Amino acid sequence: MKRNHARWLTAIITTALLLLGAGLPAKAQFPVVNDPAHMAETVTQARKDFEEFRKQAERFSKQTQEWASLYSKVSDLISAGNAVLDAAKALEDLSKIPDAVIRQQRDNKFLYDFEKLRCIKQTTSLMKQGMNLVSDLRKIAGSDNSVQMSQGDRYGLVKELSDKVVSLRNKAYQIVGYYNKLSQSRSQEATTQRLFDQLNGYK
């Protein structure tokens, strides 16, 4: 994308230089003799040159605005596309979390059963929410025109929904992390208690 951007900038600069050069005479020709007729002709020609230059400058300005608009649209499209890829990866991660939780916490003696069930239910709920969001994404990013909106609004909504899927994945990680830390804390407390009992002669 940076390479295309550089090419566009080069094209703009080159066009500007060509327009500026085309609007001016190659070499100013001033009459040696102070003749009023020559002076009037020179002034008239200068006005014509200036008017032509002004028209070319206006065309160049309009063309530059069109290029800037096109670049903005392409940039929005790429941003939306990258967001969709991030959402797809986030949904893939989300789909694996509940099973991973079951495997990791099934035999964990430092978590209560209700805590294990709560962790599974919470992560499963987040996974379902992510799937619903991706379903909406497909409708908006695809050719479904049931909802009338501009292309820019469409890209914006695609990115917003994609970000929400990523946010759900991150929230699921936080939930799992909370229970993992809770388990580790209890494990450390149990180890400390065992050492304390051994020091005091308890078996």
Side-chain angles (χ1 to χ4, degrees):
M1 189 61 205
K2 289 182 178 178
R3 193 173 299 170
N4 290 337
H5 188 190
R7 284 202 293 265
W8 288 350
L9 287 177
T10 302
I12 291 173
I13 293 171
T14 302
T15 304
L17 292 175
L18 289 173
L19 290 175
L20 291 173
L24 298 175
K27 185 177 180 181
Q29 299 291 334
F30 293 102
V32 178
V33 182
N34 189 11
D35 185 348
H38 282 289
M39 291 180 64
E41 183 181 349
T42 301
V43 171
T44 301
Q45 184 61 44
R47 287 176 179 172
K48 290 181 180 180
D49 291 340
F50 176 78
E51 183 63 23
E52 180 62 26
F53 169 73
R54 186 184 62 79
K55 292 179 181 179
Q56 291 175 346
E58 288 178 353
R59 288 196 296 269
F60 170 69
S61 176
K62 182 179 179 181
Q63 189 176 25
T64 302
Q65 291 174 3
E66 291 174 352
W67 283 337
S69 176
L70 175 61
Y71 176 76
S72 176
K73 292 177 182 178
V74 172
S75 178
D76 290 343
L77 175 61
I78 291 175
S79 178
N82 289 336
V84 170
L85 291 177
D86 292 340
K89 178 62 170 61
L91 184 64
E92 180 183 359
D93 295 338
L94 265 174
S95 67
K96 297 176 182 178
I97 291 175
D99 289 339
V101 167
I102 293 174
R103 289 195 303 270
Q104 293 173 4
Q105 297 182 358
R106 180 170 44 200
D107 300 323
N108 190 329
K109 59 184 179 181
F110 297 107
L111 289 176
Y112 297 107
D113 288 341
F114 78 88
E115 291 173 331
K116 298 176 184 179
L117 289 174
R118 183 182 298 166
C119 184
I120 293 171
K121 286 181 179 180
Q122 289 176 332
T123 53
T124 301
S125 175
L126 292 174
M127 180 189 70
K128 291 179 179 178
Q129 292 178 48
M131 293 176 67
N132 290 335
L133 286 174
V134 169
S135 178
D136 293 338
L137 260 176
R138 288 173 179 168
K139 295 178 183 178
I140 295 170
S143 57
D144 185 2
N145 295 320
S146 58
V147 180
Q148 297 296 326
M149 64 177 68
S150 68
Q151 199 68 2
D153 291 340
R154 188 183 298 270
Y155 294 154
L157 190 53
V158 164
K159 191 173 187 312
E160 180 182 345
L161 291 176
S162 299
D163 290 343
K164 286 183 178 180
V165 177
V166 175
S167 179
L168 289 175
R169 189 269 313 276
N170 295 342
K171 186 175 181 180
Y173 281 152
Q174 291 174 357
I175 291 172
V176 175
Y178 166 78
Y179 286 106
N180 286 341
K181 288 181 179 179
L182 183 60
S183 174
Q184 292 172 3
S185 176
R186 290 173 180 171
S187 174
Q188 291 173 357
E189 289 176 1
T191 300
T192 301
Q193 186 63 45
R194 282 196 300 270
L195 291 174
F196 181 79
D197 290 344
Q198 289 175 3
L199 288 173
N200 287 277
Y202 298 104
K203 293 183 179 180

